[in-house]
Coordinates of all heavy atoms in Angstrom, one line a residue:
D27 N 16.9 -3.0 -21.4 CA 17.4 -4.2 -22.0 C 16.6 -5.3 -21.5 O 16.1 -5.2 -20.4 CB 18.9 -4.4 -21.5 CG 19.8 -3.2 -22.0 OD1 19.7 -2.9 -23.2 OD2 20.6 -2.7 -21.2
P28 N 16.4 -6.4 -22.2 CA 17.0 -6.7 -23.4 C 16.4 -5.9 -24.6 O 15.9 -4.8 -24.3 CB 16.8 -8.2 -23.6 CG 15.5 -8.4 -22.9 CD 15.5 -7.5 -21.7
L29 N 16.5 -6.4 -25.8 CA 16.2 -5.7 -27.0 C 14.8 -5.2 -27.1 O 13.9 -5.9 -26.7 CB 16.5 -6.6 -28.2 CG 17.8 -7.4 -28.1 CD1 18.0 -8.3 -29.2 CD2 19.0 -6.4 -28.0
N30 N 14.7 -4.0 -27.8 CA 13.4 -3.6 -28.2 C 13.0 -4.4 -29.5 O 13.7 -4.3 -30.5 CB 13.5 -2.1 -28.6 CG 12.3 -1.6 -29.3 OD1 11.3 -2.3 -29.5 ND2 12.3 -0.4 -29.8
Q31 N 12.0 -5.3 -29.3 CA 11.8 -6.2 -30.4 C 10.7 -5.7 -31.4 O 10.3 -6.5 -32.3 CB 11.3 -7.6 -29.8 CG 12.4 -8.2 -28.9 CD 12.1 -9.5 -28.4 OE1 10.9 -10.0 -28.6 NE2 12.9 -10.1 -27.6
N32 N 10.2 -4.5 -31.2 CA 9.3 -3.9 -32.1 C 8.1 -4.8 -32.3 O 7.7 -5.1 -33.5 CB 9.9 -3.6 -33.5 CG 10.9 -2.5 -33.4 OD1 10.6 -1.4 -33.0 ND2 12.2 -2.8 -33.6
K33 N 7.5 -5.3 -31.3 CA 6.5 -6.3 -31.3 C 5.2 -5.7 -31.9 O 4.3 -6.5 -32.3 CB 6.2 -6.9 -30.0 CG 7.3 -7.7 -29.4 CD 7.0 -8.4 -28.1 CE 8.1 -9.2 -27.6 NZ 8.4 -10.4 -28.5
S34 N 5.1 -4.4 -32.1 CA 3.9 -3.8 -32.7 C 3.9 -3.9 -34.2 O 3.0 -3.5 -34.9 CB 3.8 -2.4 -32.3 OG 4.9 -1.6 -32.7
N35 N 5.0 -4.5 -34.7 CA 5.2 -4.6 -36.2 C 5.3 -6.0 -36.6 O 6.2 -6.4 -37.4 CB 6.4 -3.8 -36.6 CG 6.3 -2.3 -36.4 OD1 5.6 -1.6 -37.1 ND2 6.8 -1.8 -35.3
N36 N 4.5 -6.9 -36.1 CA 4.6 -8.3 -36.4 C 3.8 -8.7 -37.6 O 3.9 -9.9 -38.0 CB 4.2 -9.1 -35.1 CG 5.1 -8.9 -34.0 OD1 6.2 -8.3 -34.1 ND2 4.7 -9.4 -32.8
G37 N 3.0 -7.9 -38.1 CA 1.9 -8.4 -39.0 C 2.4 -8.8 -40.4 O 1.7 -9.6 -41.0
G38 N 3.6 -8.4 -40.8 CA 4.0 -8.7 -42.2 C 5.3 -9.4 -42.2 O 5.7 -10.1 -41.3
S39 N 6.0 -9.3 -43.3 CA 7.3 -10.0 -43.5 C 8.4 -9.0 -43.8 O 8.1 -7.9 -44.3 CB 7.2 -11.0 -44.6 OG 6.9 -10.4 -45.8
G40 N 9.6 -9.4 -43.6 CA 10.7 -8.6 -43.9 C 11.7 -9.4 -44.7 O 11.7 -10.6 -44.6
N41 N 12.7 -8.8 -45.4 CA 13.6 -9.5 -46.2 C 14.9 -9.5 -45.4 O 15.4 -8.5 -44.9 CB 13.8 -8.8 -47.5 CG 14.7 -9.6 -48.4 OD1 16.0 -9.5 -48.4 ND2 14.2 -10.4 -49.3
N42 N 15.5 -10.7 -45.3 CA 16.8 -11.0 -44.6 C 17.7 -11.6 -45.5 O 17.9 -12.8 -45.5 CB 16.5 -11.8 -43.3 CG 17.8 -12.1 -42.6 OD1 18.6 -11.2 -42.5 ND2 17.9 -13.2 -42.0
G43 N 18.3 -10.8 -46.5 CA 19.2 -11.4 -47.4 C 18.5 -12.5 -48.3 O 19.1 -13.5 -48.7
G44 N 17.2 -12.3 -48.6 CA 16.4 -13.2 -49.4 C 15.5 -14.1 -48.6 O 14.7 -14.8 -49.1
T45 N 15.7 -14.1 -47.2 CA 14.9 -14.9 -46.3 C 13.8 -14.1 -45.8 O 14.0 -13.0 -45.2 CB 15.7 -15.5 -45.2 OG1 16.8 -16.3 -45.8 CG2 14.9 -16.4 -44.3
T46 N 12.5 -14.6 -45.8 CA 11.4 -13.8 -45.3 C 11.3 -13.9 -43.8 O 11.4 -15.0 -43.2 CB 10.1 -14.3 -45.9 OG1 10.1 -14.1 -47.3 CG2 8.9 -13.6 -45.4
I47 N 11.1 -12.8 -43.1 CA 11.0 -12.8 -41.7 C 9.6 -12.4 -41.4 O 9.1 -11.3 -41.9 CB 12.0 -11.8 -41.0 CG1 13.4 -12.2 -41.3 CG2 11.7 -11.7 -39.5 CD1 14.4 -11.3 -40.7
T48 N 8.9 -13.1 -40.6 CA 7.6 -12.8 -40.1 C 7.6 -12.6 -38.6 O 8.0 -13.6 -37.9 CB 6.5 -13.8 -40.5 OG1 6.5 -14.0 -41.9 CG2 5.1 -13.5 -39.9
G49 N 7.3 -11.5 -38.1 CA 7.4 -11.3 -36.6 C 8.6 -10.5 -36.2 O 9.2 -9.8 -37.0
P50 N 8.9 -10.5 -34.9 CA 10.0 -9.7 -34.4 C 11.3 -10.0 -35.0 O 11.6 -11.1 -35.5 CB 10.0 -10.1 -32.9 CG 8.7 -10.6 -32.6 CD 8.3 -11.3 -33.9
R51 N 12.2 -9.0 -35.1 CA 13.5 -9.1 -35.7 C 14.5 -8.3 -35.0 O 14.2 -7.4 -34.2 CB 13.4 -8.7 -37.2 CG 13.3 -7.2 -37.3 CD 13.0 -6.7 -38.7 NE 11.7 -7.2 -39.0 CZ 11.2 -7.2 -40.3 NH1 12.0 -6.7 -41.3 NH2 10.0 -7.6 -40.6
I52 N 15.8 -8.5 -35.4 CA 16.9 -7.7 -34.8 C 17.9 -7.5 -35.9 O 18.0 -8.3 -36.8 CB 17.5 -8.5 -33.6 CG1 18.5 -7.6 -32.9 CG2 18.1 -9.8 -34.1 CD1 19.1 -8.3 -31.6
L53 N 18.5 -6.3 -35.9 CA 19.5 -6.0 -36.9 C 20.7 -6.9 -36.7 O 21.3 -7.0 -35.6 CB 20.0 -4.5 -36.7 CG 21.0 -4.1 -37.7 CD1 20.5 -4.1 -39.2 CD2 21.5 -2.6 -37.4
E54 N 21.1 -7.6 -37.7 CA 22.3 -8.5 -37.7 C 23.5 -8.0 -38.3 O 24.6 -8.2 -37.7 CB 21.9 -9.9 -38.3 CG 23.0 -10.9 -38.2 CD 22.5 -12.2 -38.8 OE1 21.7 -12.2 -39.8 OE2 23.0 -13.3 -38.3
K55 N 23.4 -7.3 -39.4 CA 24.6 -6.7 -40.0 C 24.2 -5.7 -41.0 O 23.1 -5.6 -41.5 CB 25.4 -7.8 -40.7 CG 24.8 -8.5 -41.9 CD 25.6 -9.6 -42.5 CE 25.7 -10.8 -41.6 NZ 26.4 -12.0 -42.2
I56 N 25.2 -4.8 -41.4 CA 25.0 -3.8 -42.4 C 26.2 -4.1 -43.4 O 27.4 -4.1 -43.0 CB 25.1 -2.4 -41.9 CG1 23.9 -2.1 -41.0 CG2 25.1 -1.4 -43.1 CD1 23.9 -0.8 -40.4
V57 N 25.9 -4.3 -44.7 CA 26.8 -4.7 -45.7 C 26.9 -3.6 -46.7 O 25.8 -3.1 -47.2 CB 26.5 -6.0 -46.3 CG1 27.5 -6.4 -47.4 CG2 26.3 -7.1 -45.3
V58 N 28.1 -3.1 -47.1 CA 28.3 -2.1 -48.1 C 29.1 -2.6 -49.2 O 30.3 -3.0 -48.9 CB 28.9 -0.8 -47.4 CG1 29.1 0.3 -48.5 CG2 28.0 -0.3 -46.3
N59 N 28.6 -2.7 -50.4 CA 29.3 -3.2 -51.5 C 29.9 -4.6 -51.2 O 31.1 -4.9 -51.5 CB 30.4 -2.2 -52.0 CG 29.8 -1.0 -52.5 OD1 28.8 -1.0 -53.2 ND2 30.5 0.2 -52.2
N60 N 29.1 -5.4 -50.6 CA 29.4 -6.8 -50.2 C 30.5 -6.9 -49.2 O 31.0 -8.0 -49.0 CB 29.8 -7.6 -51.5 CG 28.7 -7.7 -52.5 OD1 27.6 -7.9 -52.2 ND2 29.1 -7.4 -53.8
I61 N 30.8 -5.9 -48.5 CA 31.7 -5.9 -47.3 C 31.0 -5.6 -46.1 O 30.3 -4.6 -46.0 CB 32.9 -4.9 -47.6 CG1 33.7 -5.3 -48.8 CG2 33.8 -4.9 -46.3 CD1 34.8 -4.3 -49.2
I62 N 31.1 -6.4 -45.0 CA 30.5 -6.2 -43.8 C 31.1 -4.9 -43.1 O 32.2 -4.9 -42.8 CB 30.6 -7.4 -42.8 CG1 29.8 -8.6 -43.5 CG2 30.0 -7.1 -41.5 CD1 30.0 -9.9 -42.7
Q63 N 30.2 -4.0 -42.8 CA 30.6 -2.8 -42.1 C 30.3 -2.8 -40.6 O 31.0 -2.3 -39.8 CB 30.0 -1.5 -42.7 CG 30.3 -1.3 -44.2 CD 31.7 -0.9 -44.4 OE1 32.3 0.0 -43.6 NE2 32.4 -1.5 -45.3
E64 N 29.2 -3.4 -40.3 CA 28.7 -3.6 -38.9 C 28.1 -5.0 -38.8 O 27.4 -5.5 -39.7 CB 27.7 -2.6 -38.5 CG 28.2 -1.1 -38.7 CD 27.1 -0.1 -38.4 OE1 26.1 -0.5 -37.6 OE2 27.1 1.0 -38.9
E65 N 28.4 -5.6 -37.6 CA 27.8 -7.0 -37.4 C 27.5 -7.1 -35.9 O 28.3 -6.7 -35.0 CB 28.7 -8.1 -37.8 CG 28.1 -9.4 -37.7 CD 28.9 -10.5 -38.5 OE1 30.1 -10.3 -38.8 OE2 28.3 -11.6 -38.8
Y66 N 26.3 -7.7 -35.6 CA 25.8 -7.8 -34.2 C 25.5 -9.3 -33.9 O 24.7 -9.9 -34.6 CB 24.6 -6.9 -34.0 CG 24.9 -5.5 -34.3 CD1 24.5 -4.9 -35.6 CD2 25.5 -4.7 -33.4 CE1 24.8 -3.6 -35.9 CE2 25.8 -3.3 -33.7 CZ 25.5 -2.8 -35.0 OH 25.8 -1.5 -35.3
V67 N 26.2 -9.8 -32.9 CA 26.0 -11.2 -32.5 C 25.0 -11.2 -31.3 O 25.3 -10.5 -30.3 CB 27.3 -11.8 -32.1 CG1 27.1 -13.2 -31.6 CG2 28.3 -11.8 -33.3
T68 N 23.9 -11.9 -31.4 CA 22.9 -12.0 -30.4 C 22.6 -13.5 -30.0 O 22.8 -14.4 -30.8 CB 21.6 -11.3 -30.8 OG1 21.1 -12.0 -32.0 CG2 21.9 -9.8 -31.1
D69 N 22.1 -13.6 -28.8 CA 21.7 -15.0 -28.3 C 20.5 -14.8 -27.5 O 20.5 -14.1 -26.5 CB 22.8 -15.6 -27.6 CG 22.5 -17.1 -27.1 OD1 21.8 -17.8 -27.9 OD2 22.8 -17.4 -25.9
A70 N 19.4 -15.5 -27.9 CA 18.1 -15.4 -27.1 C 17.7 -14.0 -26.9 O 17.1 -13.6 -25.8 CB 18.3 -16.2 -25.8
G71 N 17.9 -13.1 -27.9 CA 17.4 -11.8 -27.8 C 18.4 -10.8 -27.1 O 18.0 -9.6 -26.9
F72 N 19.5 -11.3 -26.7 CA 20.5 -10.4 -26.0 C 21.7 -10.2 -26.9 O 22.2 -11.1 -27.5 CB 21.0 -11.0 -24.7 CG 20.0 -10.9 -23.6 CD1 19.0 -11.9 -23.4 CD2 20.0 -9.9 -22.7 CE1 18.0 -11.9 -22.4 CE2 19.0 -9.8 -21.6 CZ 18.1 -10.8 -21.5
L73 N 22.2 -8.9 -27.0 CA 23.3 -8.6 -27.7 C 24.6 -9.0 -27.0 O 24.8 -8.7 -25.8 CB 23.4 -7.1 -28.0 CG 24.6 -6.5 -28.7 CD1 24.7 -7.0 -30.1 CD2 24.7 -5.0 -28.6
E74 N 25.4 -9.8 -27.6 CA 26.7 -10.3 -27.0 C 27.9 -9.4 -27.5 O 28.7 -9.1 -26.7 CB 27.0 -11.7 -27.4 CG 25.9 -12.7 -26.8 CD 26.3 -14.2 -27.2 OE1 27.0 -14.4 -28.1 OE2 25.9 -15.0 -26.4
K75 N 27.9 -9.0 -28.7 CA 28.9 -8.1 -29.2 C 28.5 -7.4 -30.5 O 27.7 -8.0 -31.2 CB 30.2 -8.8 -29.4 CG 30.3 -9.9 -30.5 CD 31.6 -10.5 -30.6 CE 31.7 -11.6 -31.6 NZ 33.0 -12.3 -31.7
G76 N 29.1 -6.3 -30.7 CA 28.9 -5.5 -32.0 C 30.2 -5.2 -32.5 O 31.1 -4.7 -31.8
S77 N 30.4 -5.3 -33.8 CA 31.7 -5.1 -34.5 C 31.5 -4.0 -35.6 O 30.5 -4.1 -36.3 CB 32.3 -6.3 -35.1 OG 32.6 -7.3 -34.1
F78 N 32.4 -3.1 -35.7 CA 32.4 -2.0 -36.7 C 33.7 -2.1 -37.4 O 34.8 -2.2 -36.8 CB 32.2 -0.7 -36.0 CG 31.0 -0.6 -35.1 CD1 31.2 -1.0 -33.7 CD2 29.8 -0.1 -35.5 CE1 30.1 -1.0 -32.9 CE2 28.7 -0.1 -34.7 CZ 28.9 -0.5 -33.3
K79 N 33.6 -1.9 -38.7 CA 34.8 -1.8 -39.6 C 35.7 -0.7 -39.1 O 35.2 0.5 -39.0 CB 34.5 -1.8 -41.0 CG 35.7 -2.1 -41.9 CD 35.2 -2.2 -43.4 CE 36.4 -2.8 -44.3 NZ 37.6 -2.0 -44.1
D80 N 37.0 -0.9 -38.8 CA 37.9 0.1 -38.4 C 38.7 0.6 -39.6 O 39.5 -0.1 -40.1 CB 38.8 -0.5 -37.3 CG 39.7 0.5 -36.7 OD1 39.8 1.7 -37.2 OD2 40.4 0.2 -35.7
E81 N 38.4 1.9 -40.0 CA 39.0 2.4 -41.2 C 40.4 2.9 -41.0 O 41.1 3.3 -41.9 CB 38.1 3.6 -41.7 CG 36.7 3.2 -42.1 CD 36.6 2.2 -43.2 OE1 37.6 2.0 -43.9 OE2 35.5 1.5 -43.4
S82 N 40.9 2.8 -39.7 CA 42.3 3.2 -39.5 C 43.3 2.3 -39.9 O 44.5 2.6 -40.0 CB 42.5 3.5 -38.0 OG 42.4 2.3 -37.2
A83 N 42.9 1.0 -40.3 CA 43.9 0.0 -40.7 C 43.1 -1.0 -41.6 O 41.9 -1.2 -41.3 CB 44.6 -0.7 -39.6
P84 N 43.8 -1.6 -42.6 CA 43.1 -2.6 -43.4 C 42.6 -3.8 -42.7 O 43.3 -4.3 -41.8 CB 44.1 -2.9 -44.5 CG 45.1 -1.8 -44.4 CD 45.2 -1.4 -43.0
N85 N 41.5 -4.3 -43.0 CA 41.0 -5.6 -42.5 C 40.9 -5.7 -41.0 O 41.2 -6.7 -40.4 CB 41.8 -6.7 -43.1 CG 41.9 -6.8 -44.6 OD1 40.8 -6.7 -45.2 ND2 43.1 -6.9 -45.1
T86 N 40.5 -4.6 -40.4 CA 40.4 -4.5 -38.9 C 39.0 -4.1 -38.5 O 38.3 -3.4 -39.2 CB 41.5 -3.6 -38.3 OG1 41.3 -2.3 -38.8 CG2 42.9 -4.0 -38.6
Y87 N 38.6 -4.5 -37.3 CA 37.3 -4.2 -36.8 C 37.4 -3.7 -35.3 O 38.4 -4.1 -34.6 CB 36.4 -5.4 -36.8 CG 35.8 -5.7 -38.2 CD1 36.6 -6.4 -39.2 CD2 34.6 -5.2 -38.6 CE1 36.1 -6.6 -40.5 CE2 34.1 -5.4 -39.9 CZ 34.9 -6.1 -40.8 OH 34.4 -6.3 -42.1
F88 N 36.5 -2.9 -34.9 CA 36.4 -2.4 -33.6 C 35.2 -3.1 -33.0 O 34.1 -2.9 -33.4 CB 36.2 -0.9 -33.6 CG 36.8 -0.1 -32.4 CD1 38.1 0.2 -32.5 CD2 36.1 0.2 -31.3 CE1 38.7 0.9 -31.4 CE2 36.6 0.8 -30.3 CZ 37.9 1.2 -30.3
T89 N 35.5 -3.9 -31.9 CA 34.4 -4.8 -31.4 C 34.1 -4.4 -30.0 O 35.0 -4.3 -29.1 CB 34.8 -6.3 -31.5 OG1 35.0 -6.6 -32.9 CG2 33.8 -7.2 -30.9
G90 N 32.8 -4.3 -29.7 CA 32.4 -4.1 -28.3 C 31.7 -5.3 -27.7 O 30.7 -5.8 -28.2
N91 N 32.4 -5.9 -26.7 CA 31.8 -7.1 -26.0 C 31.0 -6.6 -24.8 O 31.4 -5.8 -24.1 CB 33.0 -8.0 -25.6 CG 33.7 -8.6 -26.7 OD1 33.3 -9.5 -27.4 ND2 34.9 -8.0 -27.1
V92 N 29.8 -7.3 -24.7 CA 28.8 -6.8 -23.7 C 28.7 -7.8 -22.5 O 28.7 -9.0 -22.7 CB 27.5 -6.7 -24.4 CG1 26.4 -6.2 -23.5 CG2 27.6 -5.7 -25.6
T93 N 28.6 -7.2 -21.3 CA 28.4 -8.0 -20.1 C 27.1 -7.5 -19.5 O 26.8 -6.3 -19.5 CB 29.5 -7.8 -19.1 OG1 30.8 -8.2 -19.7 CG2 29.3 -8.6 -17.8
Y94 N 26.3 -8.4 -18.9 CA 25.0 -8.1 -18.3 C 25.0 -8.4 -16.8 O 25.7 -9.4 -16.4 CB 23.9 -8.9 -18.9 CG 23.6 -8.5 -20.4 CD1 24.3 -9.1 -21.4 CD2 22.6 -7.6 -20.7 CE1 24.0 -8.7 -22.7 CE2 22.3 -7.3 -22.0 CZ 23.0 -7.8 -23.0 OH 22.7 -7.5 -24.3
V95 N 24.3 -7.6 -16.1 CA 23.9 -8.0 -14.7 C 22.4 -7.7 -14.5 O 21.9 -6.6 -14.9 CB 24.7 -7.1 -13.7 CG1 24.2 -7.3 -12.3 CG2 26.2 -7.4 -13.7
N96 N 21.7 -8.8 -14.1 CA 20.3 -8.7 -14.0 C 19.6 -8.2 -15.3 O 18.7 -7.3 -15.3 CB 19.9 -7.8 -12.8 CG 20.3 -8.3 -11.5 OD1 20.4 -9.5 -11.3 ND2 20.7 -7.4 -10.6
N97 N 20.1 -8.7 -16.4 CA 19.5 -8.4 -17.7 C 19.7 -7.0 -18.2 O 19.1 -6.6 -19.1 CB 18.0 -8.8 -17.8 CG 17.7 -10.3 -17.6 OD1 18.6 -11.1 -17.9 ND2 16.5 -10.6 -17.2
K98 N 20.6 -6.3 -17.5 CA 20.9 -4.9 -18.0 C 22.4 -4.9 -18.3 O 23.2 -5.5 -17.6 CB 20.6 -3.9 -16.9 CG 19.1 -3.8 -16.7 CD 18.7 -2.7 -15.8 CE 18.9 -1.3 -16.4 NZ 17.9 -1.1 -17.5
I99 N 22.8 -4.1 -19.3 CA 24.2 -4.0 -19.7 C 25.0 -3.3 -18.6 O 24.7 -2.2 -18.2 CB 24.4 -3.3 -21.0 CG1 23.7 -4.1 -22.2 CG2 25.8 -3.0 -21.3 CD1 23.8 -3.4 -23.5
S100 N 26.0 -4.0 -18.1 CA 26.8 -3.4 -17.0 C 28.2 -3.0 -17.5 O 28.9 -2.2 -16.8 CB 26.9 -4.4 -15.8 OG 27.6 -5.6 -16.3
R101 N 28.6 -3.6 -18.6 CA 29.9 -3.3 -19.1 C 30.0 -3.5 -20.6 O 29.3 -4.4 -21.2 CB 30.9 -4.2 -18.5 CG 32.4 -4.0 -18.9 CD 33.3 -5.1 -18.3 NE 34.7 -4.9 -18.6 CZ 35.6 -5.8 -18.4 NH1 35.3 -6.9 -17.8 NH2 36.9 -5.5 -18.7
V102 N 30.7 -2.6 -21.3 CA 31.0 -2.7 -22.7 C 32.4 -2.4 -22.9 O 32.9 -1.3 -22.6 CB 30.1 -1.8 -23.6 CG1 30.4 -2.1 -25.1 CG2 28.6 -1.9 -23.4
K103 N 33.2 -3.4 -23.5 CA 34.6 -3.2 -23.7 C 34.8 -3.2 -25.2 O 34.7 -4.3 -25.9 CB 35.4 -4.3 -23.0 CG 36.9 -4.1 -23.1 CD 37.7 -5.1 -22.4 CE 39.2 -4.9 -22.4 NZ 40.0 -5.9 -21.7
F104 N 35.3 -2.1 -25.7 CA 35.6 -2.0 -27.2 C 37.1 -2.2 -27.4 O 37.9 -1.5 -26.7 CB 35.2 -0.6 -27.7 CG 33.7 -0.3 -27.8 CD1 33.0 0.3 -26.7 CD2 33.0 -0.8 -28.9 CE1 31.7 0.5 -26.8 CE2 31.6 -0.5 -29.0 CZ 31.0 0.1 -27.9
V105 N 37.4 -3.1 -28.3 CA 38.8 -3.4 -28.6 C 38.9 -3.5 -30.1 O 38.1 -4.1 -30.8 CB 39.2 -4.7 -28.0 CG1 40.7 -5.1 -28.3 CG2 39.0 -4.7 -26.5
S106 N 40.0 -2.9 -30.6 CA 40.3 -2.9 -32.1 C 41.3 -4.0 -32.3 O 42.2 -4.3 -31.5 CB 40.8 -1.6 -32.6 OG 41.2 -1.7 -33.9
T107 N 41.2 -4.6 -33.5 CA 42.1 -5.6 -33.9 C 43.4 -5.0 -34.6 O 44.3 -5.7 -34.9 CB 41.5 -6.6 -34.9 OG1 41.0 -5.9 -36.1 CG2 40.4 -7.4 -34.3
A108 N 43.3 -3.7 -34.7 CA 44.5 -3.0 -35.3 C 45.6 -2.9 -34.2 O 45.3 -2.7 -33.0 CB 44.1 -1.5 -35.7

Side-chain angles (χ1 to χ4, degrees):
D27 298 313
L29 315 173
N30 170 6
Q31 298 181 359
N32 292 298
K33 292 183 180 296
S34 62
N35 294 280
N36 293 351
S39 62
N41 187 275
N42 180 36
T45 301
T46 298
I47 297 177
T48 300
R51 74 191 63 195
I52 186 171
L53 181 64
E54 184 176 29
K55 64 182 71 172
I56 297 177
V57 181
V58 180
N59 293 322
N60 298 317
I61 297 174
I62 296 174
Q63 298 292 313
E64 302 177 25
E65 187 166 19
Y66 303 96
V67 177
T68 59
D69 182 41
F72 286 86
L73 177 66
E74 294 184 337
K75 65 180 178 180
S77 297
F78 306 86
K79 196 171 189 306
D80 186 349
E81 301 297 344
S82 67
N85 302 314
T86 59
Y87 283 83
F88 213 84
T89 298
N91 293 285
V92 180
T93 301
Y94 292 84
V95 173
N96 296 326
N97 293 337
K98 295 184 74 66
I99 293 177
S100 61
R101 181 185 182 190
V102 183
K103 184 176 182 180
F104 288 97
V105 180
S106 176
T107 57

